[in-house]
Every structure is written in C-alpha cells, then in structure tokens.
Amino acid sequence: MFVDFFLYLRETGLKVSLTEYLALVESLSKGLARAHLDVFYHLARALWIKRESDYDHYDRAFATFFRGVEAHVDLSDELLGWLANPVLPRALSPEELAALKRFDFDTLREELLQRLREQRERHDGGSHWVGTGGTSPFGHGGKNPQGIRIGGSAAGRSAVYVAESRRFRNLRHDRILDTRQIGAALKKLRQLGRDRGPEELDVEATIDKCAKNAGELELIFAPPKKNRVKLLLLMDVGGSMDPHVALCERLFSAAHAATHFKAFKHYAFHNCVYGRLYTDMTALEGPPTREVLQGLDSTWSVILVGDAWMSPYELTAVMDGFSLESREPAPGIEWLRRLRARCPTSVWLNPEPIGVWESASTRLIRQIFPMFSLTLDGLGAAVDVLRGSKPNRPGLRVEP
Amino acid sequence: MNRQTFVGTESYLVDAALRDAVNVAVNIERPLLIKGEPGTGKTRLAHAIAEALAMELQIWNVKSTSKARDGLYVYDTVQRLNDARFGDRDIRDIRQYIKLGPLGRAFAAQARQVVLVDEIDKADLEFPNDLLQELDVMSFAVDETGETVAAKQRPVVVITSNNEKELPDAFLRRCVFHYIDFPERELMTEIVRVHHPEVEAHLLSELLTAFYWLREQPAIRKRPSTSELVDWVAAVTRSGLDADRVVKELPFLGVLLKREQDVDAAQEARVSRIPLRR
C-alpha cells in the first residue's frame, strides 16, 4: 500500500525521490509506525515533503488515497513482503536502480523481524513503542506513563480526518501571504548585481602590504561591493484596483523595505500609464512620464502592477490621465511601448485571476510585457525573468 | 543502535506531528530541518531534544558570512603568526591552532550529541550544499594536518530556517522536514499553563480568544507569536485585572505587538469589533 501511495504522490506531481522513499522504508523497518496510519501520515510527510507549501497537496493526496482505510493497518506485514522482493512497479532510471541496489534490504528485514519478535513478547500497546498496538501512549489523555505532558490532539482524530481538514491550505504558494514572503521573493533580485557580498579581507593586497612593511601586519579590506539592481515600481491605484489594495500595499511595503537595491523608485498611475506619473494620487502630483523615462536606462528593472482591465479605447485613444496639460499627446499603449523600449527588463504583475486575462485590454498589454499573476509563484517567475534566468518574452501564452 | 524516543519535555510541549518527525530524524540519523513562524520554538526544539535525550548540545549560529567549514574547524592562522613573531610558543605543531567548530566537536565526542544549526538561510546560497558531504558521511579531513575526524556517534542535527532563502533540492532530499504549525488553541492552553500554572481558567480562555482574534486581523502586519502571548499573560495576571476588563480594554498591547502601526490598527479594530465572545 505504501508503495502505491508513493507512486500516487509522484503521479499527482509531488517530486518524491527514490532516496526519500527508501528513507521511509528504513524508518518503517525500525518500527516507527507499524500499525498506525496517523503516525504513518506524519512520517511520510516528514520524509517526503520538504516545503510547507506542498503540505496541502500532500493532505489532499493522502485524503483521497486513504479514504475508507481503517486507522489501524498492519504496515509491517506489507513491508516484509516488499523487502523480500524490493521492486517498484515502474521503470526506474539507472541512477535510481543503483540507489536501490546499494540499499541493504536484508539487514532491514532482520531488524524489522527482530522488532516484531521483541514486541510480541512485550505485548502490543506497551509504553515502549511509539504509535504501535493501537494504544499510542502519547496524546491521548495528555499524559504518558513517565508523567510528561504531551500537547496536541491525536486522540479521536484520524490521519485522514486531519488530512481532509486541509489546515495548510494557506501555505500554498499560489496564494500570497505576507510582506515577509514578498520580501524574500524580491531578495532574489539581488543576484542581478554581480558585485555583491559582504566586506572581505583582500588576501593578495594584505600579503603585499605586509611584505612591504617588513612583516608588520596590516590587514587590507576590500571596499564593500554594491548590488547593482535598480528597481522601478509602477502601480495602478483606484477604480477596479480597489479590491486588491491590501495586496498591492504589501508588495509596496516589501519593496520599499528592501534595502538591497542600488536605487528604488515608485510611482502610481491610474488604469494605464499616460503623460504623467503620480507620487500623490489624491493631489495628482508627480512628474511627467517623459521625465521619468529619461531618468531610466536598460539597467533598470521595472515592475508594473495593475489589473490591465479597461476599455480598449483607454489604451488606444489619446488620453491624458487626469492631467489636462498634454504637450505630447500619445495613447496609453504608446507610453507602455516607450517604457518597454527604454527598459526591456520589465514585467507586469496582475492581481486578477488568470481566467480573466483574455479581455481585449489585457491581451494588448500582454503583447508588450510578460505578465504574471500577483501570487508568490507569479512573483517568483517574474523575478526570474528580471534577473535573466528565464526568457523575457511577452505573449499570450500563460505560464503555468 | 537502541531506538530513542522523544516526547517533549516538561516545558516544551510538542504535537504528534513534530514528535514523529523528531523521532524519525533521531532514529534514521538524518538532519531535521525545522521551519515555522517566528516564535513557534524552532530554536528551543534543539534544546528540548538535548534535554529529553540527555545529550550535550552544540550550537552553531549561522551568520551571513558563515562558511560551511567554520562548523567543522577553524585554522587560527593569525594566532600562529602572532606566536611566530613573538616566539611565545613552538609553532611547528599546527594541531594546536586547529579549533573544532560545533559540528566538529560533535563528531569528535564519545557520546552522541545534538547539533543546532540555527538559521541556515542567513548564510550564502552555497552553504547548505557545502555541508552535504560532511552530513552524509559524518566525517571530514583537516587539510592542514591531514587528519580525519570521523563521527563516533552520528549526532542529531537540527537545522532551523526562516525561509529567507530557498534551500537547494539536493539538500532538502537528505533532510527530514517539519513545519511547525502555529499551535491550535488546545495546545496553546497547555503551553501557557506550563509557564503560568496559576492563571485562572476563565481569564486564560478570554486572553486566548483575544489573542487569536488579534492574529486574524488583516491590518496587523506582524502577528503576535507564542512567546509574546506568554509574556502578555504574565503582564495581565500581575496587573490583577479581571477578565471582563481585559476583554474590553486589551491592556498591555505593546507586549503583543511590536510595531506602532499594529498597535493603532489593533485599537481601531477593537473599537469596531463585534463582541469577542463566541
């Protein structure tokens, strides 16, 4: 059954490796979860799932796979059977086969048999064995025989029940959570700068200096190197963006708090970038877009945030935002093209679900900027484009 | 090897999932990687394991400048150069300038020890990968002397991470992983009881309701954690305020919330909230 569960997880897209599978075999052989599905649930999760964002995926898979299975299954009989003929019902890569061969199954089998023998002499359900024999000594009344209190609430809740309650739903990466996570994602942008790193001892210069000083020690430190990333953040505010204001605020405060950029500028716009960008949206103050563009060059990274949701004419007709002065009338789409031409390292983040990206205005914008959803996954992918590790290609294809 | 079982300690309570994760890591001898919200006791876990299993604890606080080798050993060249210049000691024996790091000391020890690698994500991206080999074979060579230090007993390695950086896959594959979920009310009650056994039940229940309510307020950026709750309970009980006033006034908010904006947001939410009682 556990082999099938392993294969099932892989089928559903969790990349559990054979090494991790064998680690589970080893721990089962050591009698860590002989008959308790609850313990097995924890064990397999600890050994196979390495990111809390995958916990929810695991929970769903576990609930589907083990629904209807009793909480007490004898895993050890099955394990003994498998150890006698340790083959996975699927073609393995040579590397995996090698790993399988290196594994000492006989010893494990011996060990498991030994455990089972020992355990039978001691009666099932004794206090010696974790999670065996049906009466786990832990978690029931909150006390074990040694008088140490255990928290938690293992009693009365089966693993399937726990899995079905999907408590880790909020940790999924396709949801944005907090400023800290955004900050961590933005931190990856640091790698754009080649000259980075803390202040360090310049060994060569120090040796030179000491030699010249006839052995007198003098330590030379290289000046701290600078991160070269410059970031411009342009955010759509007001109107249809109102439902996303909390999210945008978080992104903004994370970017603002990030100290590792060489330069950071931010402006607001409404609907689309027109002749003026705003530092204060209520007073409608801010520099002309032309000036901002002149201050930029291709070393700047640009992140635009907006729902790209407007009437197509708001993109293609000559508008001037809220401002009446229009010395160089140009439609919004033209301003976006100019921005893209000036700073090719640019992306668009969209807080709307991907399903509504087919609107006419959104499609037009997607042909200028690569668009990503404003989730942790989307932000990560956008940062990858900005640092050049993924191709910077606008287009209508939606990345998964 | 005898199987060892960890069940928490008097002052460190664990839920079943964490208990199982620790036990599997201890028994199949793999590093245990711990993540979780700040204040959920990631670092204290290593102390608790050491205490419960009666092992000595080696602590390695990782910094942004830490190198993987620092945990194994450091060759104190500056001391040696100094000695050479002033002729204080015989400097031919390099061994006296090799100082074992936390991991190195645990390898060299006779009895099994616990090693805490705290906040691994602070270090360079290469750091975890550089440690892989040593954690796998549990031995390392001291290049300067040509000696090899091999673990007599594979130490229990507990690694904490605050998610500042992604850890490499190859590293993750070799770890046992556990994410400390924020304690649910039931466990939290027990945790607070450990620290303040004298708190009256009704008051505690009201405090917990207020605490979880605060954590759910979207306007609050830095959500209060377990350690802050424990302090808050202490402050409230010492003040002698009764439960009703606590519910109404939410006193000593500064103990729970550390950002001024959060305190303001909480006050605002308090005024406009629907009555706390469920």
Side-chain angles (χ1 to χ4, degrees), chain A residues 296-312:
Chain A
L296 304 175
D297 56 39
S298 59
T299 62
W300 280 78
S301 301
V302 182
I303 298 179
L304 294 113
V305 184
D307 56 3
W309 179 271
M310 59 199 101
S311 308

Side-chain angles (χ1 to χ4, degrees), chain B residues 57 66 122 130-131 148 160 194 251:
Chain B
L57 175 66
S66 292
K122 269 196 191 162
D130 291 349
L131 269 184
T148 301
T160 72
V194 166

Side-chain angles (χ1 to χ4, degrees), chain A residues 217-262:
Chain A
L217 272 190
E218 190 171 338
L219 302 177
I220 309 291
F221 287 90
K225 291 164 182 173
K226 288 269 164 60
N227 179 20
R228 300 187 313 173
V229 181
K230 294 178 247 177
L231 180 68
L232 172 67
L233 184 63
L234 297 175
M235 302 186 107
D236 187 357
V237 289
S240 55
M241 283 295 283
D242 279 349
H244 309 296
V245 70
L247 192 53
C248 292
E249 207 177 61
R250 272 179 244 156
L251 174 66
F252 175 76
S253 62
H256 203 252
T259 50
H260 59 273
F261 299 121
K262 187 175 177 192

Side-chain angles (χ1 to χ4, degrees), chain A residues 17 19-20 22-24 26-27 30-32 38-40 42-43 45-47 49-52 55 103 111 115 128-132 136 138-139 142 144 146-154 157 167-168 171 173 178-181 184-185 187-188 190-191 196 198-199 215-217 246 249-250 253, chain B residues 1-10 12-21 23-25 27-30 32-33 35-36 38 64-65 78 81-82 85 121 124-125 162-169 171-182 184 186-187 190-191 193-194 218 221 223:
Chain A
S17 71
T19 334
E20 288 164 308
L22 293 176
L24 184 75
E26 192 184 335
S27 62
K30 287 183 191 269
L32 282 163
D38 297 4
V39 182
F40 177 81
H42 295 146
L43 222 55
R45 194 179 72 186
L47 288 166
I49 309 298
K50 303 298 164 69
R51 289 185 176 87
E52 66 274 20
Y55 272 15
F103 212 66
E111 191 165 352
R115 298 257 169 216
H128 191 65
W129 304 95
V130 182
T132 59
S136 162
F138 312 114
N144 83 351
Q146 281 85 44
I148 296 175
R149 295 198 293 160
I150 313 292
S153 44
R157 281 200 210 169
R167 284 184 306 136
F168 297 101
L171 300 176
H173 268 181
D178 56 32
T179 321
R180 234 173 65 85
Q181 288 182 320
K187 224 173 227 177
K188 275 204 276 170
R190 178 163 47 187
Q191 294 173 347
R196 64 196 172 98
E199 182 163 308
E216 193 63 34
L217 272 190
E249 207 177 61
R250 272 179 244 156
S253 62
Chain B
M1 200 195 77
N2 277 332
R3 212 177 57 189
Q4 286 175 297
T5 309
F6 172 75
V7 294
T9 68
E10 301 256 357
Y12 192 91
L13 307 181
V14 293
D15 62 13
L18 178 56
R19 178 200 71 208
D20 292 342
N23 283 323
V24 73
N27 285 295
I28 69 169
E29 304 176 337
R30 272 169 215 244
L32 175 64
L33 173 65
K35 285 196 207 168
S64 61
T65 50
V78 175
L81 190 58
N82 200 47
R85 294 180 73 217
D121 52 332
D124 204 66
L125 286 171
N162 275 322
N163 254 347
E164 297 280 335
K165 291 192 192 93
E166 279 278 316
L167 297 169
D169 280 339
F171 179 79
L172 291 174
R173 269 201 294 279
R174 285 170 173 81
C175 290
V176 176
F177 171 70
H178 183 77
Y179 177 85
I180 301 189
D181 194 20
F182 198 82
E184 285 179 18
E186 210 175 313
L187 177 58
E190 297 214 26
I191 292 173
R193 284 241 164 268
V194 166
R221 288 262 169 74
R223 295 191 289 176

